[in-house]
């Protein structure tokens, strides 16, 4: 039996910090449970400091706990003393890739990482989350928080967003970041076309932690499509994605067709799901972060099932539900393509 005390990372977001220990416990249960293990998770205190006590019989327990969204440090209790345990975290690049961008409306990075982890664990092959063979897509990626978190962990990642400003801003950021850290990389930018028809713009970044890895072909790829998320045929290969995760519109303006903007996220998701599920492998999963005020949980679950997906989240217990502010009652829902 593996027994750990997990020190939860402090959050710069005050509202999220209040919910983080509870969310971290639910995340640990969900992800460790995906590996078929007996798991017990409970908050505990040592010398007045809050920890998360984790017990698991999984052979992957330390690796899983190391890569949870809120894990700051891991200890083993030895009598009245705590022995630090080295993290087995998947991290190939400096973490300022995730933290350096600051802009209005940016989603909390811990929440985005939690969404990715829980969704990857819900697939038929959760081991891909640990060994790096994960193909991730964020079909409404904005300025790339999900893309950055996936790249940091060494996954192949595709982003889609219609907003040209977000596309240009993120491309410039990623290029500058790679140059600043003197990372061997290439970036190709151009038009997206199928059958001679213009579909938008795109760039592909290939990067490696060092020159030797780049020469050996051990590169990580970010592809960003500035196009309509409801029409991906010919742009994203069918059955090529393991995990689709995205932050759905919380009731603010969001568009999928040129300059047409909508405050009705359910309509946008309904139009987009056929394109998204086509790109998803059998056994893959979709994870959506959403605002219950504008997307009722039961209606969203029904919509996902109408598009051939199996909802695996307990929407009644709502273990990940938390308040962001008066207008945002945030939750997540995960559904699998069986």
């Amino acid at each position: 039996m593996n027994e750990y005390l997990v020190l939860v990372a402090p959050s710069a977001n005050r509202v999220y910090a209040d919910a983080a220990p509870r969310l971290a416990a639910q995340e640990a249960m969900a992800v460790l449970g995906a590996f078929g293990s007996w798991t017990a998770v409970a908050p505990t205190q040592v010398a007045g400091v809050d920890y998360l006590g984790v017990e698991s019989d999984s052979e992957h327990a330390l690796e899983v706990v190391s890569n949870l969204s809120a894990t700051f440090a891991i200890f083993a209790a030895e009598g009245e003393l705590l022995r630090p345990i080295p993290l087995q975290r998947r991290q190939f690049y400096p973490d300022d890739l995730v933290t350096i961008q600051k802009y209005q409306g940016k989603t909390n990075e811990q929440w985005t990482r939690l969404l990715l982890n829980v969704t990857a664990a819900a697939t038929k092959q959760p081991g891909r989350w640990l060994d790096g063979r994960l193909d991730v897509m964020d079909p409404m990626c904005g300025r790339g928080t999900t893309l950055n978190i996936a790249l940091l962990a060494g996954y192949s990642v595709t982003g889609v967003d219609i907003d040209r400003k977000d596309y240009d801003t993120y491309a410039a950021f990623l290029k500058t970041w790679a140059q600043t850290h003197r990372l061997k990389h290439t970036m190709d930018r151009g038009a997206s076309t199928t059958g001679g028809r213009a579909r938008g713009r795109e760039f592909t970044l290939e990067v490696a932690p060092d020159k030797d890895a780049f020469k050996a072909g051990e590169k990580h790829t970010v592809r960003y499509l500035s196009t309509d998320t409801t029409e991906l045929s010919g742009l994203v290969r069918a059955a090529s994605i393991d995990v689709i995760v995205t932050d759905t519109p919380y009731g603010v303006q969001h568009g999928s067709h040129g300059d047409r903007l909508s405050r009705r996220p359910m309509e946008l998701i309904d139009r987009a799901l056929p394109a998204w599920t086509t790109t998803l492998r059998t056994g893959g999963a979709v994870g959506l972060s959403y605002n219950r005020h504008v997307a009722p949980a039961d209606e969203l679950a029904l919509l996902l099932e109408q598009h051939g997906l199996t909802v695996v989240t307990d929407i009644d217990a709502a273990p990940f539900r938390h308040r962001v502010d008066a207008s945002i009652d945030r939750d997540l829902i995960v559904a699998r393509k069986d």
Side-chain angles (χ1 to χ4, degrees):
M1 181 65 64
N2 303 290
E3 298 184 22
Y4 305 111
L5 289 172
V6 178
L7 183 62
V8 175
S11 174
N13 183 305
R14 178 188 57 79
V15 174
Y16 191 83
D18 293 339
R22 175 179 61 83
L23 297 177
Q26 295 297 331
E27 178 189 5
M29 290 290 291
V31 180
L32 280 166
F35 290 88
S37 59
W38 180 89
T39 303
V41 181
T44 187
Q45 275 197 347
V46 178
V49 177
D50 291 322
Y51 292 85
L52 204 60
V54 177
E55 297 181 45
S56 174
D57 62 4
S58 171
E59 62 179 317
H60 301 291
L62 179 57
E63 195 174 359
V64 169
V65 173
S66 294
N67 287 283
L68 297 178
S69 64
T71 297
F72 185 70
I74 302 174
F75 300 89
E78 296 183 351
E80 296 183 351
L81 302 178
L82 297 183
R83 174 174 56 85
I85 298 176
L87 295 176
Q88 296 183 10
R89 181 169 287 160
R90 288 190 60 83
Q91 182 169 328
F92 290 84
Y93 301 100
D95 58 12
D96 64 354
L97 172 64
V98 174
T99 60
I100 197 170
Q101 281 185 298
K102 304 294 182 185
Y103 54 89
Q104 186 176 7
K106 181 182 180 182
T107 305
N108 180 278
E109 295 96 346
Q110 285 186 18
W111 174 251
T112 302
R113 195 187 302 269
L114 182 152
L115 176 64
L116 175 59
N117 292 349
V118 171
T119 307
T123 68
K124 288 293 187 180
Q125 294 183 295
R128 288 178 177 265
W129 175 67
L130 292 178
D131 64 24
R133 294 180 299 116
L134 201 66
D135 292 295
V136 178
M137 183 172 76
D138 183 342
M140 294 189 287
C141 65
R143 297 190 189 181
T145 300
T146 301
L147 311 189
N148 291 339
I149 288 171
L151 174 59
L152 195 68
Y155 305 133
S156 295
V157 59
T158 301
V160 182
D161 205 288
I162 195 70
D163 192 301
R164 295 180 181 180
K165 183 178 179 181
D166 283 349
Y167 169 86
D168 288 332
T169 300
Y170 182 63
F173 161 76
L174 208 55
K175 180 73 173 177
T176 300
W177 171 83
Q179 291 174 334
T180 299
H181 289 286
R182 300 181 182 275
L183 297 170
K184 181 66 176 176
H185 68 282
T186 60
M187 178 179 277
D188 296 321
R189 302 181 66 167
S192 297
T193 60
T194 54
R197 181 168 69 96
R199 302 281 298 279
R201 297 183 296 165
E202 66 176 274
F203 74 76
T204 299
L205 175 85
E206 290 189 331
V207 63
D210 55 60
K211 292 182 179 179
D212 290 339
F214 194 91
K215 289 180 181 178
E218 299 170 359
K219 297 175 283 190
H220 302 119
T221 303
V222 177
R223 185 182 182 217
Y224 191 123
L225 300 165
S226 179
T227 193
D228 188 338
T229 192
T230 69
E231 298 179 3
L232 299 179
S233 177
L235 297 177
V236 180
R237 186 163 50 88
S240 65
I241 302 296
D242 298 298
V243 169
I244 294 174
V245 289
T246 198
D247 218 20
T248 65
Y250 289 172
V252 298
Q253 287 188 332
H254 186 96
S256 72
H257 291 82
D259 293 326
R260 287 172 50 193
L261 299 174
S262 173
R263 294 181 183 273
R264 296 182 292 274
M266 294 289 286
E267 293 183 8
L268 173 57
I269 295 168
D270 189 23
R271 292 198 309 270
L273 274 170
W276 297 356
T277 56
T278 297
T279 70
L280 201 62
R281 292 188 174 105
T282 299
V286 177
L288 306 178
S289 171
Y290 68 102
N291 180 8
R292 280 176 169 248
H293 287 318
V294 296
D298 56 347
E299 294 181 21
L300 185 55
L302 179 61
L303 183 61
L304 289 165
E305 291 181 347
Q306 287 173 342
H307 285 277
L309 300 171
T310 302
V311 174
V312 298
T313 308
D314 187 340
I315 60 172
D316 294 323
F320 296 102
R321 184 178 182 179
H322 62 286
R323 179 180 176 276
V324 176
D325 57 35
S327 62
I328 299 177
D329 179 11
R330 187 161 62 184
D331 204 349
L332 67 78
I333 189 168
V334 177
R336 188 168 54 235
K337 183 178 180 179
D338 290 325

